Amino acid sequence: MSTDAVGAEAFLAALTTAAPAPPADTRVPDGVWHLLTALYEELPGPVADGWARAVHGALRAGPPAGGLWAVHAWQAGTVLPLLATAWPDDASGAVADLAALHRAATRAPVAYDSWQTALRPVLLRVYGAAYDHRSAYAEAHTNARSYALAHGHTPAEADAYGHRYAGLSTDANAASFAEAHARAVGDALALAYAGDRAEPYAATYPAAQVRAVVRALERPAPPAPADAAGTGTAGEPQPAVTLAHGLTDVLRLHRDPRGAGGDTEAPVDVPAAPAR
Protein backbone atom coordinates (compact mmCIF):
# COMPACT_ATOMS: atom_id res chain seq x y z
CA MET A 1 0.00 0.00 0.00
CA SER A 2 1.36 3.45 -0.93
CA THR A 3 2.31 6.02 1.68
CA ASP A 4 -0.56 8.22 0.52
CA ALA A 5 -3.05 5.36 0.88
CA VAL A 6 -1.76 4.57 4.37
CA GLY A 7 -2.08 8.22 5.34
CA ALA A 8 -5.63 8.38 3.99
CA GLU A 9 -6.65 5.28 5.96
CA ALA A 10 -5.12 6.67 9.17
CA PHE A 11 -6.95 9.95 8.60
CA LEU A 12 -10.24 8.11 8.02
CA ALA A 13 -9.74 6.03 11.16
CA ALA A 14 -9.12 9.16 13.22
CA LEU A 15 -12.31 10.75 11.88
CA THR A 16 -14.34 7.59 12.45
CA THR A 17 -13.33 7.42 16.12
CA ALA A 18 -13.53 11.22 16.60
CA ALA A 19 -9.94 11.19 17.82
CA PRO A 20 -8.97 14.28 19.85
CA ALA A 21 -6.34 15.21 17.25
CA PRO A 22 -5.54 14.27 13.64
CA PRO A 23 -2.75 11.82 12.79
CA ALA A 24 0.68 13.27 13.49
CA ASP A 25 1.61 13.46 9.80
CA THR A 26 -1.60 15.29 8.78
CA ARG A 27 -1.41 19.09 8.72
CA VAL A 28 -4.90 20.33 9.54
CA PRO A 29 -5.47 24.12 9.80
CA ASP A 30 -5.98 25.53 13.28
CA GLY A 31 -9.46 24.97 14.67
CA VAL A 32 -10.61 22.71 11.85
CA TRP A 33 -10.14 19.20 13.24
CA HIS A 34 -13.19 19.38 15.51
CA LEU A 35 -15.28 20.64 12.59
CA LEU A 36 -14.16 17.69 10.47
CA THR A 37 -15.00 15.06 13.09
CA ALA A 38 -18.45 16.56 13.69
CA LEU A 39 -19.26 16.80 9.98
CA TYR A 40 -18.11 13.22 9.38
CA GLU A 41 -20.48 12.07 12.12
CA GLU A 42 -23.38 14.00 10.54
CA LEU A 43 -22.86 12.80 6.96
CA PRO A 44 -24.95 10.00 5.47
CA GLY A 45 -23.07 6.69 5.41
CA PRO A 46 -22.60 6.50 1.62
CA VAL A 47 -21.04 9.97 1.59
CA ALA A 48 -18.85 10.11 4.70
CA ASP A 49 -15.84 7.99 3.70
CA GLY A 50 -15.56 9.46 0.22
CA TRP A 51 -15.68 12.95 1.70
CA ALA A 52 -12.98 12.04 4.23
CA ARG A 53 -10.65 10.94 1.43
CA ALA A 54 -11.37 14.14 -0.49
CA VAL A 55 -10.50 16.18 2.61
CA HIS A 56 -7.26 14.25 3.06
CA GLY A 57 -6.34 14.98 -0.54
CA ALA A 58 -7.11 18.68 -0.06
CA LEU A 59 -4.90 18.81 3.03
CA ARG A 60 -1.98 17.39 1.03
CA ALA A 61 -2.25 20.18 -1.55
CA GLY A 62 -0.28 22.70 0.48
CA PRO A 63 0.61 24.02 3.93
CA PRO A 64 -2.32 24.89 6.18
CA ALA A 65 -3.37 28.49 6.66
CA GLY A 66 -2.38 30.06 9.95
CA GLY A 67 -4.69 31.22 12.72
CA LEU A 68 -8.43 30.68 12.31
CA TRP A 69 -8.45 31.76 8.67
CA ALA A 70 -10.03 28.49 7.49
CA VAL A 71 -12.79 28.75 10.12
CA HIS A 72 -13.64 32.30 9.07
CA ALA A 73 -13.58 31.42 5.37
CA TRP A 74 -15.95 28.48 5.94
CA GLN A 75 -18.34 30.52 8.04
CA ALA A 76 -18.42 33.35 5.51
CA GLY A 77 -18.60 31.18 2.42
CA THR A 78 -20.85 28.30 3.47
CA VAL A 79 -22.39 28.33 6.95
CA LEU A 80 -23.88 31.82 6.99
CA PRO A 81 -25.09 31.79 3.37
CA LEU A 82 -26.96 28.57 4.18
CA LEU A 83 -28.55 30.18 7.23
CA ALA A 84 -29.44 33.26 5.18
CA THR A 85 -31.22 31.04 2.65
CA ALA A 86 -33.07 29.22 5.43
CA TRP A 87 -34.07 32.49 7.10
CA PRO A 88 -35.26 34.88 4.38
CA ASP A 89 -37.13 36.83 7.08
CA ASP A 90 -33.89 38.07 8.69
CA ALA A 91 -34.95 41.70 8.35
CA SER A 92 -32.30 42.93 10.79
CA GLY A 93 -29.52 41.64 8.55
CA ALA A 94 -27.87 39.84 11.47
CA VAL A 95 -26.66 36.92 9.34
CA ALA A 96 -25.27 39.21 6.64
CA ASP A 97 -23.52 41.34 9.29
CA LEU A 98 -21.84 38.31 10.83
CA ALA A 99 -20.80 37.00 7.41
CA ALA A 100 -19.20 40.36 6.64
CA LEU A 101 -17.28 40.19 9.91
CA HIS A 102 -15.97 36.72 9.07
CA ARG A 103 -14.89 37.97 5.63
CA ALA A 104 -13.07 40.85 7.30
CA ALA A 105 -11.38 38.38 9.66
CA THR A 106 -9.85 36.52 6.71
CA ARG A 107 -7.84 39.69 6.09
CA ALA A 108 -7.07 41.00 9.58
CA PRO A 109 -8.09 40.35 13.21
CA VAL A 110 -11.46 41.75 14.33
CA ALA A 111 -12.01 43.20 17.82
CA TYR A 112 -13.81 41.30 20.58
CA ASP A 113 -16.63 43.84 20.93
CA SER A 114 -17.49 43.58 17.24
CA TRP A 115 -17.67 39.79 17.46
CA GLN A 116 -19.75 39.87 20.62
CA THR A 117 -22.32 42.21 19.06
CA ALA A 118 -22.56 40.33 15.76
CA LEU A 119 -22.62 36.80 17.18
CA ARG A 120 -25.43 37.13 19.71
CA PRO A 121 -28.50 37.51 17.43
CA VAL A 122 -27.34 34.75 15.11
CA LEU A 123 -26.54 32.35 17.94
CA LEU A 124 -29.91 33.02 19.54
CA ARG A 125 -31.66 32.07 16.33
CA VAL A 126 -29.44 29.06 15.61
CA TYR A 127 -30.03 27.54 19.03
CA GLY A 128 -33.69 28.47 19.00
CA ALA A 129 -34.11 26.67 15.67
CA ALA A 130 -31.97 23.75 16.81
CA TYR A 131 -34.22 23.10 19.81
CA ASP A 132 -36.43 20.08 19.15
CA HIS A 133 -39.77 21.90 19.36
CA ARG A 134 -41.73 19.03 17.86
CA SER A 135 -40.63 16.38 20.35
CA ALA A 136 -40.80 18.76 23.31
CA TYR A 137 -44.32 19.86 22.37
CA ALA A 138 -45.52 16.28 21.90
CA GLU A 139 -44.13 15.18 25.27
CA ALA A 140 -45.53 18.21 27.09
CA HIS A 141 -48.94 17.72 25.50
CA THR A 142 -49.07 14.04 26.41
CA ASN A 143 -48.09 14.68 30.03
CA ALA A 144 -50.47 17.61 30.48
CA ARG A 145 -53.35 15.73 28.87
CA SER A 146 -52.78 12.75 31.15
CA TYR A 147 -52.73 15.06 34.16
CA ALA A 148 -56.02 16.66 33.12
CA LEU A 149 -57.70 13.30 32.52
CA ALA A 150 -56.54 12.09 35.94
CA HIS A 151 -58.24 15.13 37.50
CA GLY A 152 -61.65 14.56 36.02
CA HIS A 153 -61.57 16.52 32.77
CA THR A 154 -63.26 15.15 29.66
CA PRO A 155 -61.02 13.95 26.80
CA ALA A 156 -61.78 17.11 24.80
CA GLU A 157 -61.02 19.36 27.76
CA ALA A 158 -57.86 17.42 28.55
CA ASP A 159 -56.66 17.68 24.95
CA ALA A 160 -57.24 21.43 24.87
CA TYR A 161 -55.44 21.82 28.20
CA GLY A 162 -52.56 19.75 26.88
CA HIS A 163 -52.14 21.99 23.84
CA ARG A 164 -52.24 25.18 25.92
CA TYR A 165 -49.65 23.85 28.34
CA ALA A 166 -47.43 22.46 25.58
CA GLY A 167 -47.43 25.75 23.69
CA LEU A 168 -46.47 27.81 26.73
CA SER A 169 -43.86 25.43 28.11
CA THR A 170 -42.20 24.64 24.77
CA ASP A 171 -41.82 28.28 23.79
CA ALA A 172 -40.41 29.16 27.21
CA ASN A 173 -38.00 26.22 27.24
CA ALA A 174 -36.80 26.96 23.69
CA ALA A 175 -36.15 30.59 24.59
CA SER A 176 -34.22 29.58 27.72
CA PHE A 177 -32.23 27.00 25.75
CA ALA A 178 -31.27 29.56 23.11
CA GLU A 179 -30.39 32.24 25.64
CA ALA A 180 -28.20 29.93 27.71
CA HIS A 181 -26.25 28.69 24.71
CA ALA A 182 -25.90 32.12 23.11
CA ARG A 183 -24.46 33.49 26.36
CA ALA A 184 -22.09 30.60 26.96
CA VAL A 185 -20.88 30.24 23.39
CA GLY A 186 -21.01 33.88 22.31
CA ASP A 187 -18.49 35.34 24.74
CA ALA A 188 -16.11 32.42 24.33
CA LEU A 189 -16.32 32.59 20.54
CA ALA A 190 -15.77 36.35 20.55
CA LEU A 191 -12.61 35.90 22.61
CA ALA A 192 -11.34 33.07 20.41
CA TYR A 193 -12.02 34.93 17.17
CA ALA A 194 -10.48 38.17 18.43
CA GLY A 195 -7.35 36.31 19.56
CA ASP A 196 -7.21 34.23 16.36
CA ARG A 197 -5.95 31.21 18.28
CA ALA A 198 -6.84 27.54 18.00
CA GLU A 199 -6.81 26.63 21.70
CA PRO A 200 -9.50 29.09 22.84
CA TYR A 201 -11.56 28.18 19.78
CA ALA A 202 -11.36 24.47 20.62
CA ALA A 203 -12.65 25.32 24.10
CA THR A 204 -15.91 26.62 22.56
CA TYR A 205 -16.85 23.04 21.53
CA PRO A 206 -16.91 23.63 17.75
CA ALA A 207 -18.31 20.14 17.12
CA ALA A 208 -21.40 20.96 19.19
CA GLN A 209 -21.81 24.18 17.22
CA VAL A 210 -21.70 22.23 13.96
CA ARG A 211 -24.45 19.93 15.23
CA ALA A 212 -26.56 22.92 16.29
CA VAL A 213 -26.28 24.46 12.81
CA VAL A 214 -27.21 21.16 11.17
CA ARG A 215 -30.26 20.80 13.43
CA ALA A 216 -31.26 24.42 12.82
CA LEU A 217 -31.13 23.86 9.06
CA GLU A 218 -33.01 20.56 9.25
CA ARG A 219 -35.95 21.75 11.32
CA PRO A 220 -38.90 22.01 11.22
CA ALA A 221 -38.89 19.86 8.09
CA PRO A 222 -36.10 17.22 8.25
CA PRO A 223 -34.70 16.27 4.85
CA ALA A 224 -35.82 13.12 3.07
CA PRO A 225 -33.62 10.01 3.47
CA ALA A 226 -30.37 10.48 1.61
CA ASP A 227 -29.25 8.52 -1.43
CA ALA A 228 -25.64 7.63 -2.18
CA ALA A 229 -24.87 11.23 -3.15
CA GLY A 230 -26.22 12.62 0.10
CA THR A 231 -29.34 14.13 -1.41
CA GLY A 232 -33.03 13.71 -0.64
CA THR A 233 -35.68 12.50 -3.02
CA ALA A 234 -36.05 15.98 -4.51
CA GLY A 235 -32.30 16.25 -5.18
CA GLU A 236 -31.74 18.72 -2.34
CA PRO A 237 -28.39 18.21 -0.56
CA GLN A 238 -28.69 17.56 3.13
CA PRO A 239 -27.35 20.48 5.21
CA ALA A 240 -24.43 18.42 6.55
CA VAL A 241 -23.39 17.50 3.00
CA THR A 242 -23.36 21.12 1.85
CA LEU A 243 -21.48 22.20 4.98
CA ALA A 244 -18.92 19.43 4.50
CA HIS A 245 -18.25 20.20 0.85
CA GLY A 246 -17.94 23.88 1.66
CA LEU A 247 -15.22 23.11 4.20
CA THR A 248 -13.40 20.95 1.65
CA ASP A 249 -13.40 23.90 -0.76
CA VAL A 250 -11.81 26.08 1.93
CA LEU A 251 -9.13 23.47 2.64
CA ARG A 252 -8.20 23.40 -1.04
CA LEU A 253 -7.32 27.11 -0.88
CA HIS A 254 -4.66 26.88 1.83
CA ARG A 255 -3.97 30.60 1.62
CA ASP A 256 -3.86 33.06 4.48
CA PRO A 257 -3.03 36.59 3.28
CA ARG A 258 -2.64 37.78 6.87
CA GLY A 259 0.49 35.68 7.30
CA ALA A 260 1.95 36.22 3.86
CA GLY A 261 3.86 39.37 4.76
CA GLY A 262 2.06 41.40 2.11
CA ASP A 263 -0.91 43.72 2.02
CA THR A 264 -3.37 42.36 4.56
CA GLU A 265 -6.19 44.19 2.83
CA ALA A 266 -5.68 42.44 -0.49
CA PRO A 267 -8.68 40.55 -1.87
CA VAL A 268 -8.99 37.01 -0.59
CA ASP A 269 -10.82 34.11 -2.14
CA VAL A 270 -13.53 33.06 0.28
CA PRO A 271 -15.50 30.28 -1.43
CA ALA A 272 -19.14 30.87 -2.09
CA ALA A 273 -21.73 28.55 -0.60
CA PRO A 274 -22.16 25.44 -2.76
CA ALA A 275 -25.39 25.37 -4.74
CA ARG A 276 -28.23 23.66 -2.92
Side-chain angles (χ1 to χ4, degrees), residues 206-236:
Q209 295 173 51
V210 169
R211 296 184 190 102
V213 169
V214 171
R215 300 297 175 269
L217 289 168
E218 286 178 340
R219 291 171 179 151
D227 57 23
T231 60
T233 55
E236 287 279 329

Side-chain angles (χ1 to χ4, degrees), residues 26-101:
T26 305
R27 301 177 66 186
V28 177
D30 288 347
V32 168
W33 177 248
H34 298 293
L35 304 178
L36 294 174
T37 58
L39 287 168
Y40 181 84
E41 177 184 298
E42 293 292 332
L43 289 173
V47 177
D49 289 356
W51 172 75
R53 290 185 171 86
V55 168
H56 185 260
L59 292 172
R60 292 177 59 251
L68 297 177
W69 182 88
V71 175
H72 292 305
W74 181 60
Q75 287 283 340
T78 300
V79 179
L80 291 161
L82 277 179
L83 292 175
T85 299
W87 302 336
D89 61 336
D90 180 29
S92 69
V95 174
D97 289 346
L98 183 56
L101 214 60

Side-chain angles (χ1 to χ4, degrees), residues 45-230:
V47 177
D49 289 356
W51 172 75
R53 290 185 171 86
V55 168
H56 185 260
L59 292 172
R60 292 177 59 251
L68 297 177
W69 182 88
V71 175
H72 292 305
W74 181 60
Q75 287 283 340
T78 300
V79 179
L80 291 161
L82 277 179
L83 292 175
T85 299
W87 302 336
D89 61 336
D90 180 29
S92 69
V95 174
D97 289 346
L98 183 56
L101 214 60
H102 278 291
R103 283 193 295 273
T106 64
R107 297 176 173 87
V110 174
Y112 167 82
D113 289 347
S114 297
W115 284 118
Q116 189 182 43
T117 299
L119 282 164
R120 178 172 170 78
V122 177
L123 290 173
L124 278 172
R125 184 147 187 187
V126 165
Y127 284 103
Y131 186 79
D132 192 352
H133 290 74
R134 186 176 298 173
S135 295
Y137 187 99
E139 181 178 357
H141 174 265
T142 297
N143 291 339
R145 184 178 185 276
S146 297
Y147 174 86
L149 286 173
H151 286 76
H153 291 274
T154 67
E157 291 171 341
D159 191 59
Y161 173 78
H163 282 298
R164 287 196 301 272
Y165 177 84
L168 291 171
S169 65
T170 303
D171 288 347
N173 289 337
S176 296
F177 176 86
E179 177 66 29
H181 281 81
R183 284 190 182 185
V185 176
D187 288 348
L189 266 182
L191 284 170
Y193 286 160
D196 198 37
R197 293 175 53 229
E199 294 83 0
Y201 178 67
T204 69
Y205 298 96
Q209 295 173 51
V210 169
R211 296 184 190 102
V213 169
V214 171
R215 300 297 175 269
L217 289 168
E218 286 178 340
R219 291 171 179 151
D227 57 23

Side-chain angles (χ1 to χ4, degrees), residues 237-255:
Q238 289 191 1
V241 173
T242 305
L243 291 168
H245 289 327
L247 187 53
T248 307
D249 290 343
V250 167
L251 297 178
R252 289 194 180 104
L253 291 176
H254 286 289
R255 294 194 301 110

